[in-house]
Coordinates of all heavy atoms in Angstrom, one line a residue:
N303 N 18.7 5.9 -1.9 CA 18.1 7.2 -1.5 C 17.5 7.1 0.0 O 17.7 8.0 0.8 CB 16.9 7.6 -2.3 CG 17.3 8.3 -3.6 OD1 18.5 8.6 -3.8 ND2 16.3 8.5 -4.5
T304 N 16.9 6.0 0.3 CA 16.3 5.9 1.6 C 17.3 5.7 2.6 O 17.3 6.5 3.7 CB 15.4 4.5 1.6 OG1 14.6 4.4 0.6 CG2 14.6 4.4 3.0
D305 N 18.4 4.9 2.6 CA 19.5 4.8 3.4 C 20.0 6.2 3.6 O 20.4 6.6 4.8 CB 20.6 3.9 2.9 CG 20.2 2.5 2.9 OD1 19.0 2.1 3.4 OD2 20.8 1.6 2.3
Y306 N 20.4 7.0 2.7 CA 20.9 8.3 2.7 C 20.0 9.2 3.6 O 20.6 9.9 4.5 CB 21.1 8.9 1.2 CG 21.7 10.2 1.2 CD1 23.1 10.4 1.2 CD2 20.9 11.4 1.1 CE1 23.7 11.6 1.0 CE2 21.5 12.7 1.1 CZ 22.8 12.8 1.1 OH 23.4 14.0 0.9
F307 N 18.6 9.2 3.2 CA 17.9 10.1 3.9 C 17.8 9.7 5.5 O 17.8 10.7 6.3 CB 16.5 10.2 3.3 CG 15.4 11.1 3.9 CD1 15.5 12.5 3.5 CD2 14.7 10.6 4.9 CE1 14.6 13.2 4.1 CE2 13.7 11.5 5.4 CZ 13.7 12.9 5.1
V308 N 17.7 8.5 5.7 CA 17.5 8.1 7.2 C 18.8 8.5 7.9 O 18.7 9.0 9.0 CB 17.2 6.6 7.2 CG1 17.2 6.1 8.6 CG2 15.8 6.3 6.8
A309 N 19.9 8.1 7.4 CA 21.1 8.4 7.9 C 21.3 10.0 8.2 O 21.7 10.3 9.4 CB 22.4 7.8 7.2
K310 N 21.1 10.8 7.2 CA 21.2 12.2 7.4 C 20.3 12.8 8.4 O 20.6 13.7 9.1 CB 21.1 12.8 6.1 CG 22.2 12.7 5.0 CD 23.4 13.5 5.2 CE 24.5 13.0 4.3 NZ 25.8 13.9 4.6
M311 N 19.0 12.3 8.5 CA 18.1 12.8 9.4 C 18.5 12.4 10.7 O 18.3 13.2 11.7 CB 16.6 12.2 9.1 CG 16.0 12.9 7.8 SD 15.6 14.5 8.1 CE 14.1 14.4 8.8
K312 N 18.9 11.3 11.0 CA 19.4 10.7 12.3 C 20.6 11.6 12.7 O 20.5 12.1 13.9 CB 19.7 9.2 12.3 CG 18.5 8.4 12.4 CD 19.0 6.9 12.6 CE 17.8 6.0 12.6 NZ 18.3 4.6 12.4
E313 N 21.5 11.8 11.8 CA 22.6 12.7 12.1 C 22.2 14.1 12.6 O 22.8 14.6 13.5 CB 23.5 12.9 10.9 CG 24.8 12.3 10.8 CD 25.5 12.5 9.5 OE1 25.8 13.6 9.0 OE2 25.6 11.4 8.9
A314 N 21.2 14.6 12.0 CA 20.6 16.0 12.4 C 19.9 16.0 13.7 O 19.6 17.0 14.1 CB 19.6 16.3 11.2
G315 N 19.7 14.8 14.2 CA 19.1 14.6 15.5 C 17.6 14.2 15.6 O 17.0 14.2 16.7
F316 N 17.0 13.9 14.5 CA 15.6 13.5 14.3 C 15.5 12.0 15.0 O 16.3 11.2 14.9 CB 15.1 13.6 12.9 CG 14.8 15.0 12.6 CD1 15.6 15.7 11.9 CD2 13.8 15.6 13.2 CE1 15.5 17.0 11.5 CE2 13.5 17.1 12.8 CZ 14.4 17.7 12.0
D317 N 14.3 11.8 15.5 CA 13.9 10.5 16.1 C 13.1 9.8 15.0 O 12.0 10.1 14.6 CB 13.0 10.7 17.3 CG 12.5 9.5 17.8 OD1 12.8 8.4 17.3 OD2 11.7 9.6 18.7
I318 N 13.8 8.9 14.2 CA 13.2 8.2 13.0 C 12.8 6.7 13.6 O 13.7 5.9 14.0 CB 14.2 8.1 11.9 CG1 14.8 9.5 11.7 CG2 13.6 7.4 10.7 CD1 14.0 10.4 10.9
K319 N 11.6 6.3 13.2 CA 11.2 4.9 13.5 C 12.1 4.0 12.6 O 12.2 4.3 11.5 CB 9.8 4.7 13.1 CG 8.9 5.1 14.2 CD 7.9 4.0 14.6 CE 7.1 4.4 15.7 NZ 6.5 3.4 16.7
P320 N 12.4 2.9 13.2 CA 13.2 1.8 12.5 C 12.3 1.5 11.2 O 11.2 1.3 11.4 CB 13.3 0.7 13.4 CG 13.1 1.2 14.8 CD 12.3 2.4 14.7
T321 N 12.8 1.6 10.0 CA 12.1 1.3 8.9 C 12.9 0.3 7.9 O 14.1 0.3 7.9 CB 11.8 2.5 8.0 OG1 11.1 2.2 6.9 CG2 13.2 3.3 7.6
Q322 N 12.2 -0.5 7.3 CA 12.8 -1.5 6.2 C 12.1 -1.3 4.9 O 12.2 -2.1 4.1 CB 12.6 -2.9 6.7 CG 13.2 -3.2 8.1 CD 12.3 -4.0 8.8 OE1 11.1 -3.6 9.3 NE2 12.6 -5.2 9.3
S323 N 11.5 -0.1 4.8 CA 10.8 0.2 3.6 C 11.2 1.6 3.2 O 12.2 2.1 3.6 CB 9.3 0.1 3.8 OG 9.0 1.2 4.7
A324 N 10.4 2.2 2.2 CA 10.7 3.6 1.9 C 9.8 4.6 2.6 O 9.8 5.7 2.2 CB 10.3 3.7 0.2
I325 N 9.2 4.2 3.6 CA 8.5 4.9 4.6 C 9.4 5.4 5.7 O 9.9 4.4 6.5 CB 7.2 4.2 5.0 CG1 6.3 4.0 3.8 CG2 6.5 4.9 6.2 CD1 5.1 3.0 4.1

Side-chain angles (χ1 to χ4, degrees):
N303 276 355
T304 308
D305 292 347
Y306 180 85
F307 184 81
V308 170
K310 291 273 177 186
M311 287 290 281
K312 281 187 180 161
E313 244 175 73
F316 285 103
D317 178 2
I318 310 287
K319 274 236 178 206
T321 180
Q322 303 133 297
S323 66
I325 291 166

